[in-house]
C-alpha cells in the first residue's frame, strides 16, 4: 500500500485539517526527515494553498483546527500548531494554543519552521545574492565544494533540490548531492 493510500485509509478520505472531501493530496510536513505516513497528512487544496501562502490565509477557514488539533497523529498536530501560531493576532487561536499539548519531540518539529516565533526572532537564510531561501527551494552551487568526511567534491553548477533550513543558524542549509545528504553554506549557493 502506498503512503497516499495509507493516508486515505487513516483519514477516511477526508482532509485531516478541515474535513473536506474535495481535491485531497498528500502533504509531507516540513522539514521532511522521515516523510512516510508518520511525517505526512492528507489535506485539501484550500488548506495546502494557505499553508504554503501565509499572506493568503483566511482565518475563518482555520476554525476547523478546534477539532483537528486533537488528532492522534503528530503530523496533523504539528500543522495545527503552526497555523494557530500564524493566526495568533486573531485572538481565538491563542485560546486553542493554551489548551494544546505537544510532547517535546513534536513541539521541536512544530517549531522547526519558525512559525511560533515573532518576525524579529526568526533566522533568515539568504543565498549568495541575498535572496531569501525557504524550505523546499532549489539551489545551485556557485563554486566547487569539498564535502567534509568524504572524498566527494560537489561541482559548481550542481543543482540541489528540496533543501531544508537549519533554524538555529542562518548560514547552513541541508540537501542531497549525488544521493548523499550534506550540509551547505548559504554563501556558496544561488536560488534557482
Amino acid at each position: 500500500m502506498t503512503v497516499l493510500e495509507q493516508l486515505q485509509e487513516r483519514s477516511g478520505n477526508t482532509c485531516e485539517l478541515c474535513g473536506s472531501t474535495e481535491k485531497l493530496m498528500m502533504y509531507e510536513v516540513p522539514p521532511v526527515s522521515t516523510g512516510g505516513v508518520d511525517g505526512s497528512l492528507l489535506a485539501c487544496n484550500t488548506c495546502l494553498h494557505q499553508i504554503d501562502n501565509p499572506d493568503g490565509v483566511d482565518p475563518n477557514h482555520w476554525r476547523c483546527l478546534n477539532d483537528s488539533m486533537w488528532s492522534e497523529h503528530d503530523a496533523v498536530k504539528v500543522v495545527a500548531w503552526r497555523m494557530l501560531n500564524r493566526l495568533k493576532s486573531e485572538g481565538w487561536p491563542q485560546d486553542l494554543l493554551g489548551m494544546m499539548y505537544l510532547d517535546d519531540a513534536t513541539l521541536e518539529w512544530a517549531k522547526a519552521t519558525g512559525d511560533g516565533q515573532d518576525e524579529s526572532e526568526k533566522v533568515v537564510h539568504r543565498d549568495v545574492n541575498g535572496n531569501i531561501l525557504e524550505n523546499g527551494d532549489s539551489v545551485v552551487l556557485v563554486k566547487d565544494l569539498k564535502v567534509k568526511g568524504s572524498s566527494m567534491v560537489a561541482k559548481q553548477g550542481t543543482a540541489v533540490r528540496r533543501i531544508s533550513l537549519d533554524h538555529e543558524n542562518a548560514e547552513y542549509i541541508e540537501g542531497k548531492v549525488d544521493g548523499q545528504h550534506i550540509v551547505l553554506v548559504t554563501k556558496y549557493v544561488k536560488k534557482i
Side-chain angles (χ1 to χ4, degrees):
M1 195 182 308
T2 67
V3 173
L4 178 60
E5 291 169 337
Q6 291 176 58
L7 290 172
Q8 289 169 333
E9 184 178 304
R10 174 176 94 182
S11 68
N13 273 326
T14 62
C15 175
E16 293 185 90
L17 298 169
C18 75
S20 173
T21 57
E22 303 290 318
K23 299 181 183 173
L24 301 174
M25 293 175 271
M26 182 177 84
Y27 175 69
E28 290 183 345
V29 181
V32 179
S33 56
T34 57
V37 175
D38 293 334
S40 304
L41 58 86
L42 194 66
C44 68
N45 196 40
T46 304
C47 287
L48 291 177
H49 179 73
Q50 293 187 40
I51 289 168
D52 291 337
N53 300 296
D55 297 333
V57 172
D58 172 14
N60 285 325
H61 173 79
W62 293 103
R63 290 190 179 268
C64 60
L65 296 177
N66 189 35
D67 295 324
S68 55
M69 69 183 233
W70 302 110
S71 172
E72 63 187 88
H73 307 289
D74 288 343
V76 178
K77 290 190 279 192
V78 164
V79 173
W81 186 91
R82 290 176 182 171
M83 293 309 297
L84 288 170
N85 270 285
R86 285 187 196 174
L87 296 166
K88 271 198 288 199
S89 63
E90 296 291 316
W92 60 266
Q94 292 178 1
D95 295 336
L96 295 180
L97 281 167
M99 291 186 279
M100 194 170 188
Y101 171 77
L102 300 177
D103 61 49
D104 292 341
T106 307
L107 184 59
E108 185 178 323
W109 180 16
K111 288 181 175 180
T113 56
D115 278 301
Q117 299 174 326
D118 293 329
E119 289 300 316
S120 61
E121 298 174 330
K122 288 186 180 179
V123 176
V124 179
H125 295 74
R126 295 185 185 273
D127 73 357
V128 68
N129 295 327
N131 297 316
I132 295 176
L133 298 171
E134 304 276 345
N135 273 318
D137 281 348
S138 295
V139 297
V140 65
L141 302 179
V142 296
K143 70 177 264 181
D144 290 354
L145 299 174
K146 173 139 178 40
V147 179
K148 287 186 180 178
S150 84
S151 60
M152 180 180 148
V153 175
K155 297 287 186 187
Q156 177 179 351
T158 301
V160 181
R161 307 212 184 285
R162 295 185 54 127
I163 62 167
S164 58
L165 308 178
D166 180 332
H167 290 283
E168 294 177 8
N169 190 328
E171 292 185 19
Y172 298 125
I173 60 173
E174 298 178 19
K176 284 190 177 181
V177 174
D178 295 334
Q180 186 173 350
H181 190 81
I182 62 171
V183 175
L184 299 164
V185 179
T186 55
K187 65 183 177 184
Y188 300 128
V189 300
K190 179 173 69 171
K191 187 173 182 175
I192 298 177

